[in-house]
Amino acid sequence: MTKKILTLTFMLCGVAAGAAAQTQPIYLDESQGMEERVEDALRRMTLDEKIAVIHAQSKFSSAGVKRLGFPDLWTDDGPHGVRPDVLWDEWEQAGQTNDSCVAFPALTCLAATWNPSLARLYGESLGEEALYRNKHVILGPGVNIYRTPLNGRNFEYMGEDPWLASRMVVPYVQGLQSKGVAACVKHYALNNDENYRHQVNVIVNDRALREIYLPAFEAAVKEGKAWSIMGAYNLYKNQHNCHNDILLNKILKQEWGFDGVVISDWGGAHSTEEAITNGLDLEFGTWTDGLTMGATNAYDNYYLANAYKRLIKEGKYTTRELDEKVRRVLRLMFRTNMNRQRPYGSMCSEAHYAAARKIAGEGVVLLKNDRNILPIPAGARILVVGENAIKMMTVGGGSSSLKVQREVLPLDGMRERFQHVDYARGYVGDTVQSYNGVTVGRSLYDLRTPEALIAEAVEKAKSADYVVVFGGLNKADYQDCEGHDRKEYGLPYGQDALVEALVKVNKNVVYVNISGNAVAMPWAAQVPAILQGWFIGSEAGHALADVLSGDVNPSGKLPYTWYQRLEDTGAHALNAFPGVWRPDRQIIDEEYKEGIFVGYRWADMKRIKPMFAFGHGLSYTSFEIGKATADKQVVKGNETISFTVSVRNTGKKAGAETVQLYVTDQKSTLPRPLKELKAFQKVFLQPGESREVVLTLDKRSLSFFDDRLQQWVAEDGEFEAKIGNSSGNIVRKLPFRFIND
């Protein structure tokens, strides 16, 4: 029956293919394994059909093989939600009415949950929305490392630590792909700043590359079995990363065994011959209006289009490289749009809103809570201050911009939850009313002076029980935004003056920082309560009100180190950002001089006390990390070692604590960080409840990458497991010894 249906499909769709193409029935036997079906299809394809499937035919689609019954392959931006449809060859909205979505929290917030089960829920929910919209590849998640707080795109990534990012990306990928939608893990690799991103040539030693910048990608490929990877715009060793021999051929495909598709970032390809030989499989975004101002609808001019076909016909290349690219694309199709077992999707369901709200609630980080002024009691008179209380954060920021069915703003969420809520603008920042055809919902224009805005807020604050300031950054250019990096560490729009004025007239000021990045807070000692509120999507107002009211007990932990000053960050202390312009080569050489010492590793080495440590996050209850034991004292070869730790909720509210295990190598032949995160577990406890947590290490957990040997090495010697609830609060230490077989 299957063969007859597919033969009929050929007869209907293949009429225009010409007499030669109709000389025999064409069908794909579904009783075959995937690789057999891939080879079967490949043998039947013409040169033109092969060339057509390895480059775009529109902004977000590549051609299928109509004669063989393969539909077009549709991609879409969406690390945080499925992007609205655009016109065929333009970035402008297509004007559809059925392409709204649920916006899920940005990935910094997901990472801050330290809860891999929520990453799985995130991927599944996003996959269901993509299915409904008939998208086959979602361009995300992003796992580039937080190297500097000025990176405009940090909000799309999972923080500074490779182990945390690895543990969170794997279930995200698995959840998304369980719905028959491919994850496209990005941006591979070393994409750590946005300004001049097409010209930055990263210079990094092999240890830092392997220990810091690649592990999350490796986990996504080896454990998550990601079906596609997106190359980055920047260069590594003077080759663009969308066709980089070392990163794509040697590491990704040969060493890691990646069998999926390498997709270029839009406009990330620069050379036909390098694209042929250096690992690129599917090219998007080249020579289209909006990126390089080339000709409209000029998809045949792509590097992997007519230029490639011409080189084959001239005999400079055989079809060997082409066939390998096509195999990978066909494999992707069989996994997605040719997979008859894919489930049906759903869009804007209440289950998806509930998932977004839960992830957001667990990701909000309570950074400070002096005098336990939070949670806010129900009958309190509350003054909400700040533009970020009324500004949509799902709109803008580049490719992550969405068209949501709804976004609950912080002010609305507070008014829904509390009885007595007043509002003062406080400051004016970005008043742009739309982005890519999506409007922001309410007017943000306000012509009052900064002095008048502060004066109004101060006057109202005098009679309030609580003042809740929703400030931070936004998704405007040079804030948290694709294509630009921040220009400074400080808060924009005169927010420091606003906060300093408010704390003089009200003792219960709460600052909620909306951002994907750390910011300078010179007034932090004067403000009793500070929350990190992230960009948390459709349910932002509800989730923030949940935490501020105590309906949700905060349990988020920082996925990056929050430094007091920008100069405390390794990249800036060493003047290693943003790099040096090389006019002779028209590129920027950016040397990662800090090497493996990124984030808390740098703070530990330099004995810098950050404002808030990596892994830090408070609760409305209290916890005690009790006795810790190891199941052995000596670890041999490929054995594992497990640590059992007791955790007790010593407070009066149910809540969650994340137990974190860091490893110290007491003596090594190469320099190593003072400690490195290698295991963690989040545990939910009722008041008075105790539970034992088991954290396990393997040989890789004890290893470093020896750039002399070009391999991972665990050396014989003494180690120490350090257990706590942040990198800055270690409460238990257990020594053990490792011996190679």
Side-chain angles (χ1 to χ4, degrees):
M1 184 64 180
T2 300
K3 293 183 179 181
K4 291 180 180 178
I5 292 173
L6 288 172
T7 301
L8 179 61
T9 300
F10 157 70
M11 292 172 66
L12 292 174
C13 298
V15 172
Q22 299 182 48
T23 55
Q24 59 182 11
I26 293 181
Y27 57 81
L28 300 173
D29 187 347
E30 290 194 1
S31 67
Q32 295 175 314
M34 180 187 292
E35 295 308 311
E36 292 176 289
R37 297 177 72 198
V38 166
E39 294 302 322
D40 185 11
L42 183 65
R43 283 192 297 270
R44 301 172 189 272
M45 292 173 66
T46 66
L47 177 61
D48 285 343
E49 288 169 340
K50 291 177 180 180
I51 290 291
V53 302
I54 63 168
H55 66 81
Q57 63 173 3
S58 74
K59 283 292 187 189
F60 283 101
S61 73
S62 60
V65 189
K66 305 296 188 296
R67 188 174 60 86
L68 300 181
F70 285 84
D72 296 340
L73 186 75
W74 282 90
T75 71
D76 208 348
D77 283 312
H80 315 130
V82 186
R83 182 176 177 165
D85 289 325
V86 299
L87 296 172
W88 185 263
D89 191 44
E90 299 177 27
W91 291 112
E92 290 306 309
Q93 297 295 305
Q96 297 182 7
T97 58
N98 62 346
D99 59 349
S100 297
C101 69
V102 172
F104 298 93
L107 294 189
T108 41
C109 179
L110 175 63
T113 69
W114 290 59
N115 187 343
S117 68
L118 290 187
R120 174 79 188 207
L121 174 65
Y122 194 123
E124 290 176 350
S125 302
L126 180 60
E128 288 167 358
E129 299 241 332
L131 275 176
Y132 190 92
R133 294 269 305 281
N134 199 33
K135 307 302 181 186
H136 311 124
V137 181
I138 284 293
L139 305 176
V143 290
N144 292 102
I145 292 297
Y146 186 108
R147 177 178 175 249
T148 163
L150 298 190
N151 182 3
R153 216 164 180 181
N154 276 335
F155 71 94
E156 292 189 41
Y157 303 142
M158 296 188 182
E160 73 182 31
D161 185 77
W163 179 255
L164 175 62
S166 296
R167 294 311 91 205
M168 298 302 289
V169 72
V170 168
Y172 180 117
V173 169
Q174 292 171 335
L176 181 62
Q177 295 186 168
S178 73
K179 303 300 180 180
V181 178
C184 186
V185 186
K186 64 184 189 182
H187 301 89
Y188 181 75
L190 303 162
N191 187 184
N192 303 114
D193 48 359
E194 287 295 296
N195 286 341
Y196 309 107
R197 55 188 176 170
H198 293 270
Q199 296 162 288
V200 171
N201 178 50
V202 173
I203 301 169
V204 60
N205 64 56
D206 287 350
R207 282 197 67 197
L209 177 70
R210 295 291 192 145
E211 294 186 24
I212 304 297
Y213 297 102
L214 292 189
F217 289 104
E218 182 179 4
V221 169
K222 288 185 174 180
E223 299 176 57
K225 307 298 182 184
W227 294 339
S228 60
I229 291 281
M230 180 185 288
Y233 282 134
N234 54 283
L235 300 88
Y236 168 66
K237 290 188 181 295
N238 299 303
Q239 282 187 349
H240 282 279
N241 287 1
C242 286
H243 33 69
N244 188 293
D245 183 49
I246 294 174
L247 292 177
L248 299 180
N249 287 336
K250 292 183 172 61
I251 296 177
L252 178 65
K253 293 182 175 181
Q254 296 170 20
E255 183 180 328
W256 296 350
F258 176 65
D259 69 353
V261 174
V262 173
I263 298 176
S264 73
D265 204 341
W266 270 230
H270 298 268
S271 161
T272 293
E273 297 206 21
E274 288 191 18
I276 292 171
T277 59
N278 289 357
L280 179 61
D281 301 312
L282 183 52
E283 179 187 0
F284 273 94
T286 310
W287 294 110
T288 53
D289 290 334
L291 279 177
T292 55
M293 301 307 294
T296 300
N297 275 312
Y299 298 100
D300 287 339
N301 292 343
Y302 275 32
Y303 294 109
L304 288 181
N306 283 347
Y308 188 7
K309 182 167 64 176
R310 184 172 59 253
L311 291 176
I312 291 174
K313 288 186 172 181
E314 291 172 354
K316 186 163 186 178
Y317 291 93
T318 68
T319 60
R320 181 176 64 87
E321 295 89 353
L322 174 61
D323 286 348
E324 178 57 23
K325 298 178 193 297
V326 175
R327 281 189 188 95
R328 291 174 179 271
V329 174
L330 291 172
R331 193 178 292 129
L332 178 63
M333 289 179 173
F334 279 123
R335 287 166 167 167
T336 57
N337 61 7
M338 289 288 285
N339 175 9
R340 291 174 177 249
Q341 306 305 315
R342 283 196 305 163
Y344 293 101
S346 57
M347 184 174 73
C348 298
S349 70
E350 289 309 307
H352 294 167
Y353 283 110
R357 188 168 180 172
K358 180 172 178 58
I359 294 164
E362 280 201 34
V364 170
V365 183
L366 180 60
L367 296 171
K368 183 180 180 183
N369 193 22
D370 290 354
R371 296 185 278 110
N372 292 319
I373 71 164
L374 293 178
I376 300 173
R381 295 167 299 168
I382 302 169
L383 173 66
V384 170
V385 180
E387 179 176 282
N388 280 359
I390 61 169
K391 182 175 178 59
M392 290 180 68
M393 294 298 181
T394 59
V395 180
S399 60
S400 67
S401 185
L402 300 170
K403 182 169 80 176
V404 295
Q405 184 187 53
R406 69 173 188 250
E407 178 179 351
V408 180
L409 299 175
L411 177 60
D412 298 330
M414 293 293 287
R415 283 178 168 161
E416 184 179 322
R417 178 59 181 82
F418 294 97
Q419 294 178 333
H420 310 291
V421 178
D422 196 4
Y423 175 70
R425 180 69 175 263
Y427 69 91
V428 174
D430 174 43
T431 59
V432 172
Q433 300 299 293
S434 67
Y435 184 89
N436 264 168
V438 179
T439 58
V440 298
R442 67 178 68 180
S443 176
L444 296 173
Y445 291 120
D446 195 318
L447 300 179
R448 289 177 289 174
T449 65
E451 294 76 15
L453 292 166
I454 291 175
E456 178 198 38
V458 167
E459 189 60 32
K460 290 187 174 184
K462 292 176 181 177
S463 58
D465 297 321
Y466 282 80
V467 177
V468 183
V469 181
F470 289 92
L473 308 178
N474 56 42
K475 290 189 174 180
D477 289 349
Y478 304 104
Q479 299 284 306
D480 281 331
C481 180
E482 179 183 0
H484 299 283
D485 294 316
R486 296 166 62 194
K487 294 182 177 181
E488 58 188 4
Y489 193 42
L491 285 165
Y493 315 128
Q495 291 180 68
D496 290 341
L498 170 66
V499 174
E500 289 165 357
L502 290 170
V503 295
K504 291 178 180 177
V505 299
N506 193 300
K507 65 179 182 179
N508 290 333
V509 174
V510 179
Y511 188 81
V512 182
N513 189 64
I514 306 298
S515 76
N517 269 305
V519 298
M521 294 181 175
W523 36 260
Q526 305 167 56
V527 174
I530 303 174
L531 280 82
Q532 176 59 14
W534 311 112
F535 300 118
I536 51 180
S538 287
E539 289 292 302
H542 285 152
L544 291 168
D546 287 343
V547 172
L548 289 165
S549 67
D551 293 344
V552 168
N553 192 347
S555 61
K557 301 283 187 177
L558 283 178
Y560 53 70
T561 303
W562 196 305
Y563 286 102
Q564 298 272 2
R565 308 175 309 144
L566 183 63
E567 295 78 15
D568 290 340
T569 308
H572 297 276
L574 297 173
N575 196 28
F577 177 90
V580 179
W581 174 248
R582 304 296 187 192
D584 55 325
R585 293 181 291 155
Q586 295 293 296
I587 63 172
I588 296 170
D589 279 340
E590 185 169 336
E591 184 178 359
Y592 288 20
K593 297 177 183 177
E594 70 277 17
I596 61 173
F597 297 98
V598 175
Y600 67 88
R601 293 164 169 81
W602 176 265
D604 284 350
M605 181 180 69
K606 295 297 183 179
R607 291 178 169 77
I608 295 170
K609 183 175 175 56
M611 184 179 297
F612 303 111
F614 170 80
H616 169 74
L618 305 176
S619 171
Y620 295 149
T621 190
S622 56
F623 299 95
E624 179 183 70
I625 297 178
K627 183 180 179 182
T629 59
D631 67 349
K632 55 175 66 81
Q633 298 300 312
V634 178
V635 187
K636 297 181 180 179
N638 291 320
E639 293 179 350
T640 61
I641 179 171
S642 294
F643 301 87
T644 302
V645 189
S646 66
V647 188
R648 184 163 69 96
N649 184 340
T650 57
K652 298 179 180 180
K653 294 178 180 288
E657 179 64 292
T658 300
V659 183
Q660 303 164 35
L661 188 155
Y662 298 80
V663 171
T664 296
D665 187 348
Q666 302 287 33
K667 185 179 180 180
S668 63
T669 56
L670 293 178
R672 300 195 69 177
L674 294 182
K675 63 178 182 292
E676 296 179 277
L677 180 73
K678 293 299 179 182
F680 63 88
Q681 186 173 330
K682 192 170 192 175
V683 58
F684 293 82
L685 300 170
Q686 296 297 319
E689 183 183 3
S690 296
R691 194 175 302 174
E692 289 188 336
V693 171
V694 179
L695 303 168
T696 302
L697 304 177
D698 59 12
K699 183 176 180 179
R700 177 68 179 262
S701 304
L702 310 179
S703 301
F704 60 89
F705 189 81
D706 191 326
D707 50 355
R708 302 163 302 184
L709 302 175
Q710 287 294 301
Q711 65 185 32
W712 289 92
V713 172
E715 295 181 325
D716 292 357
E718 304 297 327
F719 290 80
E720 187 173 60
K722 295 180 176 178
I723 298 169
N725 61 2
S726 82
S727 64
N729 187 39
I730 302 299
V731 297
R732 297 288 179 266
K733 298 179 181 180
L734 288 87
F736 64 95
R737 183 173 180 80
F738 174 78
I739 301 174
N740 281 287
D741 285 341

